[in-house]
Amino acid sequence: MKILIIGAVAAGTSAAAKARRNTEDAQITVYEKDSYISYSGCGMPYFLGGHVESIDALAPRDPQFFKSKYNVDIKTRHEVLEIDATAKTLKIKNLDNGEIFTDSFDKLIIATGAKSVIPTIKTAGGTAGANAFALRNINDLIKIAAFIDEHKPKSALIVGTGYIGLEMCENLTERGIEVSMVEKLPQVCPSLDEDMARLVQKRLEAHGVRVSTGVEVELADADLVILATGVRPEVSLAQNAGIAIGATGAIAVNAKMQTNHPDIYACGDCIEQFNSVTGRAIYRPLGSTANKTGRIAGDSATGGDLEFRGVLGTGIFQIFGLSVAQTGLSEREAREQGFEVAVCHNIKPGKPEYMGGTEMVIKAIAQKSDDAKLDGRLLGVQIVGEDGVDKRIDVFVTAMSFGAKALDLEHLDLAYAPPFSTTKDPVMYTGMILENSLHRGRELITSAELKTRIEAGEKLQIIDARVAAQFEKDHIGGAENVPLERLRDAADALDRDITTVTYCNKGVSGNAAQNVLINKGVKKVYNLSGGRKSFN
Ligand code: FAD
């Protein structure tokens, strides 16, 4: 059997290795138009920041490695020009000598990845491109590194504030370059909800980064310009061969990574995935998924039975000491997709403050539904904090992968000792807060909802449960200050029939105040999710 693979980075090489592990009877050849293979694209910003010693450390494997370890032939600088799906052949060009030849396959695996979206932006010198770079592969990295070494730029403008833009921001700043960022959407890091993105923007500004949102750049006036404006799946070969493309513009595959042609598979950044919570098509080009889907493609092409279970769209990045992670749907996406949701903001330290714990903000979204099977199901989580974020997001991901509901979280038997966590871990608290809001009459109101209701002129009784000094410093317009310790006595004087909102700084005393008022007979009491800190 002859297996041909197009593309030799994360997905293509995973597919080749898995195919070989399954069988010694296949001849496996990978065509790659670039000269670098199997590299860590994810590590590239860290090379620029001086955290990675050499480019070789990012690309430690060469074709000889794959030949000797897996008996796989990787032909670099070979571009596939055409797939003939009927004849089951590829037309290939050797980029070193210009020779064009044909090769045939029994099974083909397309792992052509993605390419950068390049906006049309003029740079200061009028020479678009001379100091403007996208970062997609090692060749791009080499060009940026050489430019920095030669021109010693003092300023950089990063266009786009997604994960890669933000990682570049941190690493260029560490090189002593003054960074500005521009984002055409109204917030940084567009995959987050606006309230969580604000925390990222604050951190950027605290480190001297100038951030402009809601701005389309036409002229980039900086010594160095980084275009981090997203990627698009590389599907032209597949499309020209009649292979079906999905709604997101990436190659459509089934759970076995098979395209609409039974002997052609696809994997990695060129394919469309599905969201494992909603079942809907999404496009999340990530190295983690490219490795997973590559392995499945290699398995399927050699008769294996592995099947893809979809993705939650989990991602994480670091920016100036802040870890930012998300999984599943944001509140915005959940509402856009028609879900009725309960939302909570849980602000807690990852370990006791006496052990140096620092606060993280966990925003979690659960489904409200009349269908008992769906009611309380977790839809998404975003976390921003200095430490312990990676561990919590992975606990949420694991729970959500098995269909967890809010109530399930407080029952998790998580590891606890002071150096690692709090007696009730922030994940467990998140479940308790959501469950109390969903089913125990301790409803939450988000800042956005409260603002809308205030602006609509709704008659609300807003109780600031903090001490007088905090209230005097700043409070929500129209709020009345009744510190928690006075609330029991003062409650009888309050109107029981008006919708009431309690709040404190972060939500905990607000919840205590909510409990007091509910137990004293106030009919409808919300606690402000995330407290005064979340209300802007
Ligand atoms: P690609 O890496 O795009 O490789 C596809 C290969 O196919 C390319 O080498 C291309 O030359 C080749 N090819 C295309 N067409 C042809 C053709 N016609 N003939 C021959 N060869 C062809 N992901 C994470 O999960 N976490 C991270 O922290 C993270 N950080 C990142 C940081 C940066 C700066 C970048 C750029 C990406 C990052 N990613 C991250 C994403 C991750 O790198 C990609 O998801 C991963 O590289 C996808 O692998 P792939 O093999 O599907 O595609």
Side-chain angles (χ1 to χ4, degrees), residues 5-14 30-46 75 77-82 91-93 95 110-116 134-137 140 163-165 167-168 231-232 234-237 267-271 283-291 293-294 314-317:
I5 300 174
I6 313 173
V9 185
T13 54
S14 295
V30 189
Y31 290 108
E32 168 57 63
K33 65 180 177 185
D34 204 339
S35 38
Y36 291 93
I37 64 161
S38 189
Y39 54 83
S40 169
C42 316
M44 294 189 298
Y46 299 94
K75 311 254 188 226
R77 309 245 332 126
H78 280 69
E79 180 173 6
V80 176
L81 302 176
E82 201 179 294
K91 191 189 204 186
I92 300 139
K93 183 175 185 180
L95 298 177
I110 303 173
T112 45
K115 57 187 174 197
S116 304
L135 176 59
R136 176 67 199 169
N137 54 38
D140 295 335
Y163 287 24
I164 294 176
E167 287 178 351
M168 285 298 286
V231 296
R232 191 177 294 137
E234 176 53 270
V235 298
S236 51
L237 273 182
C267 50
D269 279 7
C270 60
I271 63 159
Y283 179 62
R284 291 289 147 84
L286 284 170
S288 45
T289 308
N291 275 279
T293 55
T314 309
I316 187 163
F317 65 91

Side-chain angles (χ1 to χ4, degrees), residues 61-140:
R61 292 172 181 173
D62 59 11
Q64 286 73 39
F65 169 88
F66 281 90
K67 185 67 188 168
S68 62
K69 181 157 184 201
Y70 296 110
N71 189 23
V72 165
D73 292 299
I74 300 191
K75 311 254 188 226
T76 56
R77 309 245 332 126
H78 280 69
E79 180 173 6
V80 176
L81 302 176
E82 201 179 294
I83 301 169
D84 185 332
T86 315
K88 292 173 70 173
T89 57
L90 299 183
K91 191 189 204 186
I92 300 139
K93 183 175 185 180
N94 178 333
L95 298 177
D96 286 329
N97 60 19
E99 183 201 347
I100 293 180
F101 61 97
T102 302
D103 199 355
S104 63
F105 60 84
D106 296 304
K107 304 279 183 189
L108 173 68
I109 300 175
I110 303 173
T112 45
K115 57 187 174 197
S116 304
V117 173
I118 309 282
T120 44
I121 291 173
K122 287 198 196 105
T123 54
T127 48
N131 67 340
F133 305 89
L135 176 59
R136 176 67 199 169
N137 54 38
I138 299 279
N139 289 312
D140 295 335

Side-chain angles (χ1 to χ4, degrees), residues 42 45-46 135 158-171 181 183 188-192 200 204 226 228-230 284-288 312-319 323-328 381-383 393:
C42 316
Y46 299 94
L135 176 59
I158 298 177
V159 186
T161 60
Y163 287 24
I164 294 176
L166 290 164
E167 287 178 351
M168 285 298 286
C169 172
E170 178 175 75
N171 282 289
M181 298 193 84
E183 169 59 58
V188 298
C189 200
S191 60
L192 294 175
V200 177
L204 288 168
I226 300 292
T229 42
R284 291 289 147 84
L286 284 170
S288 45
L312 287 167
T314 309
I316 187 163
F317 65 91
Q318 184 186 292
I319 182 81
S323 303
V324 182
Q326 72 182 117
T327 191
V381 176
Q382 296 156 63
I383 314 182
I393 199 74

Side-chain angles (χ1 to χ4, degrees), residues 170-335:
E170 178 175 75
N171 282 289
L172 292 179
T173 304
E174 284 176 3
R175 290 282 294 256
I177 299 172
E178 202 176 289
V179 176
S180 308
M181 298 193 84
V182 191
E183 169 59 58
K184 74 171 176 190
L185 294 172
Q187 64 171 71
V188 298
C189 200
S191 60
L192 294 175
D193 281 324
E194 189 270 334
D195 49 0
M196 300 299 277
R198 228 183 290 137
L199 304 174
V200 177
Q201 180 158 348
K202 252 170 110 180
R203 182 60 63 112
L204 288 168
E205 287 167 350
H207 282 75
V209 177
R210 266 188 295 140
V211 182
S212 314
T213 52
V215 178
E216 281 232 42
V217 187
E218 280 163 23
L219 178 74
D221 185 10
D223 298 342
L224 167 66
V225 179
I226 300 292
L227 306 170
T229 42
V231 296
R232 191 177 294 137
E234 176 53 270
V235 298
S236 51
L237 273 182
Q239 202 161 22
N240 293 340
I243 289 175
I245 303 298
T248 62
I251 300 173
V253 289
N254 63 18
K256 298 181 83 61
M257 298 297 126
Q258 198 170 28
T259 66
N260 60 327
H261 187 296
D263 292 318
I264 302 183
Y265 302 80
C267 50
D269 279 7
C270 60
I271 63 159
E272 175 169 288
Q273 310 101 14
F274 64 94
N275 181 302
S276 51
V277 172
T278 65
R280 293 178 198 173
I282 53 170
Y283 179 62
R284 291 289 147 84
L286 284 170
S288 45
T289 308
N291 275 279
K292 211 177 288 164
T293 55
R295 183 167 185 271
I296 296 171
D299 186 66
S300 302
T302 47
D305 62 0
L306 288 180
E307 293 202 351
F308 186 52
R309 297 186 183 180
V311 292
L312 287 167
T314 309
I316 187 163
F317 65 91
Q318 184 186 292
I319 182 81
F320 300 128
L322 209 56
S323 303
V324 182
Q326 72 182 117
T327 191
L329 302 178
S330 63
E331 180 188 353
R332 184 183 59 235
E333 285 171 326
R335 290 190 193 278

